[in-house]
Amino acid sequence: MEIKQLRAVRLANQGLLHPFEDPTEAIERIVGIQSQQPQTAWLNWELHTQNANLDTIMKMAQQQQIVRAWGQRWTLHLFSLAGFQLVVNARSSEKIPAAYFLGQKDQILAVAEVIKQLLQQHTTLMCEDVLTELHQQFPTLDLDGRFIYVVLQVLTMKGYLYFDATSSTQNWRIIATKPQKGSKSVATLIRRYLKGFEPASLTDFVRWSGIKVSVVRPVWELIAKAHNQFEQSKLVNLRAYSQSQLQALTDELEAKVLIAAPFDASLTGYADKNWLMKPEMQKVMWTKNGILRAPIIINGNLTGYWTQQIKKNYIQFTINHWLVISKTNQNALKDKLTKIAQFQGSVPKFTFKKMN
């Protein structure tokens, strides 16, 4: 498989080349959307979904069709409820890094037990209610945001709670749930990953999931033997692709203008980033403070990235690009970013900046 074919297949499977009709499919297909910044997660969902609007995603959140929780690589994600439970089960052998406990492991576990008991009495708890109760029971503890987050991580990764999908770092609501058992959860998660990210390698899955390679390898090798694997390649896929299918997807990608939001799955889903961009561009797309920029792909090539600044009456979009963008493609980009502005209830303004 040529690199341009690999690029087309992966972007199609993730829903960038063909956005999904079902509003839950974008979250299901890639097993969660990275969500350290809630607004960025909404934008990611919008760009992977046909006819997306904010009312739909808010309704999904209200009905708990989607939830917010720590998942892969100990990062916050938007999940379907089933996806959250699958990830918790598959990662059950993983332990929260010792450094996260801030040298206060005993205190953190004690506070976690209190919150667990509170959730047995109340199915949902608001941030202020939790903190009020904890201050009464632990008056000498410094219950700052970082301490509480580790407490909630402990309970989340044991499957006792998740956040309401609209929760933010400062204003959150936790919802009680019960741990689910799944004896073949790692195998199920691998198949779910391949559905959204194939063709992919063992190293890709380990990097994406954060599960130890010693746990993954024997399960991965069984799946790889049972499904198509490219000759002289470590890449595995569940489906077979004919040359005509590969050509059709490649032709379609090379005729389109695509954008994704920051922290898109195309950036977080693979160990090897060379399928999407050259090494020198990776330093541009991944900032030193860990921000993954929002890619622009034109005619099958990573062309630049876009940013937004939300103003009082409009959103300022800046298109930073190292390849020349034709007038036709500039207009196509404006159309896509206009939809992003409308999704956020605003109007756009545009600035194009050519990078050296």
Side-chain angles (χ1 to χ4, degrees):
M1 183 180 286
E2 298 176 15
I3 190 71
K4 62 182 181 180
Q5 295 172 331
L6 179 64
R7 190 176 299 160
V9 170
R10 284 178 168 177
L11 293 177
N13 287 334
Q14 293 164 22
L16 274 179
L17 189 58
H18 305 137
F20 301 114
E21 292 184 22
D22 184 338
T24 62
E25 181 65 16
I27 295 172
E28 285 280 0
R29 179 64 68 94
I30 56 178
V31 201
I33 294 175
Q34 200 158 320
S35 180
Q36 289 99 319
Q37 302 169 350
Q39 185 69 10
T40 297
W42 303 140
L43 296 183
N44 256 313
W45 172 81
E46 194 273 346
L47 288 166
H48 289 258
T49 304
Q50 295 181 28
N51 304 315
N53 61 74
L54 204 54
D55 288 342
T56 298
I57 196 77
M58 290 298 108
K59 184 177 180 181
M60 290 164 61
Q62 185 179 20
Q63 296 175 346
Q64 293 179 36
Q65 290 179 276
I66 55 173
V67 302
R68 191 167 184 247
W70 285 282
Q72 302 91 303
R73 308 176 306 281
W74 303 106
T75 54
L76 284 164
H77 284 69
L78 283 181
F79 291 106
S80 67
L81 183 53
F84 161 69
Q85 291 168 339
L86 172 61
V87 169
V88 167
N89 286 337
R91 289 175 51 80
S92 61
S93 64
E94 302 301 305
K95 296 181 179 179
I96 293 177
Y100 282 30
F101 287 101
L102 314 170
Q104 297 178 289
K105 186 173 182 178
D106 290 343
Q107 296 94 320
I108 284 170
L109 294 179
V111 173
E113 186 61 30
V114 169
I115 294 177
K116 179 182 171 183
Q117 291 172 7
L118 287 172
L119 286 170
Q120 292 172 352
Q121 303 168 30
H122 311 278
T123 55
T124 67
L125 289 168
M126 297 299 297
C127 170
E128 57 268 27
D129 296 326
V130 173
L131 293 178
T132 297
E133 180 67 26
L134 293 179
H135 280 300
Q136 291 176 356
Q137 295 205 34
F138 301 94
T140 62
L141 267 183
D142 183 7
L143 301 170
D144 63 12
R146 190 177 175 192
F147 181 96
I148 291 298
Y149 253 40
V150 180
V151 172
L152 297 178
Q153 278 183 311
V154 168
L155 293 169
T156 299
M157 297 314 295
K158 290 182 178 180
Y160 289 113
L161 66 81
Y162 50 77
F163 291 107
D164 170 85
T166 62
S167 293
S168 65
T169 303
Q170 302 299 326
N171 184 23
W172 43 263
R173 181 166 70 103
I174 53 176
I175 302 170
T177 186
K178 294 181 179 180
Q180 305 291 316
K181 299 297 182 182
S183 60
K184 297 182 179 179
S185 53
V186 173
T188 302
L189 185 60
I190 289 172
R191 291 189 179 93
R192 286 283 304 279
Y193 168 80
L194 287 171
K195 185 177 180 181
F197 292 89
E198 70 177 16
S201 70
L202 167 64
T203 304
D204 290 329
F205 177 79
V206 169
R207 176 69 62 85
W208 171 83
S209 68
I211 302 174
K212 290 183 177 64
V213 67
S214 59
V215 174
V216 174
R217 188 186 301 279
V219 186
W220 180 274
E221 289 177 348
L222 286 174
I223 292 172
K225 289 177 182 177
H227 294 281
N228 185 56
Q229 186 165 3
F230 295 100
E231 293 182 8
Q232 299 178 335
S233 170
K234 295 180 180 179
L235 300 181
V236 175
N237 60 295
L238 301 179
R239 290 158 289 181
Y241 300 92
S242 67
Q243 283 301 314
S244 61
Q245 288 174 315
L246 292 175
Q247 190 61 53
L249 288 172
T250 302
D251 290 346
E252 185 177 0
L253 177 60
E254 291 181 347
K256 281 191 171 181
V257 172
L258 301 179
I259 61 172
F263 297 99
D264 186 73
S266 60
L267 300 179
T268 62
Y270 306 95
D272 183 355
K273 310 297 190 297
N274 293 333
W275 71 277
L276 184 60
M277 67 192 77
K278 296 178 180 179
E280 58 268 26
M281 290 299 101
Q282 295 174 27
K283 296 177 182 179
V284 176
M285 296 300 292
W286 275 263
T287 67
K288 290 182 179 180
N289 57 357
I291 301 299
L292 309 186
R293 299 193 188 277
I296 299 168
I297 300 169
I298 298 177
N299 305 135
N301 296 309
L302 185 72
T303 301
Y305 65 91
W306 61 273
T307 62
Q308 69 170 24
Q309 286 184 303
I310 298 178
K311 307 290 187 178
K312 183 176 181 181
N313 298 314
Y314 65 94
I315 297 178
Q316 175 65 56
F317 291 103
T318 301
I319 295 92
N320 303 278
H321 57 104
W322 45 82
L323 299 180
V324 174
I325 303 177
S326 69
K327 192 68 175 178
T328 298
N329 287 335
Q330 285 187 24
N331 289 334
L333 266 176
K334 289 180 179 179
D335 289 343
K336 288 184 174 293
L337 292 171
T338 296
K339 291 180 180 178
I340 290 289
Q342 292 170 344
F343 178 75
Q344 298 174 91
S346 190
V347 296
K349 292 186 178 182
F350 305 100
T351 299
F352 285 79
K353 287 186 178 181
K354 180 69 165 63
M355 301 169 65
N356 296 327

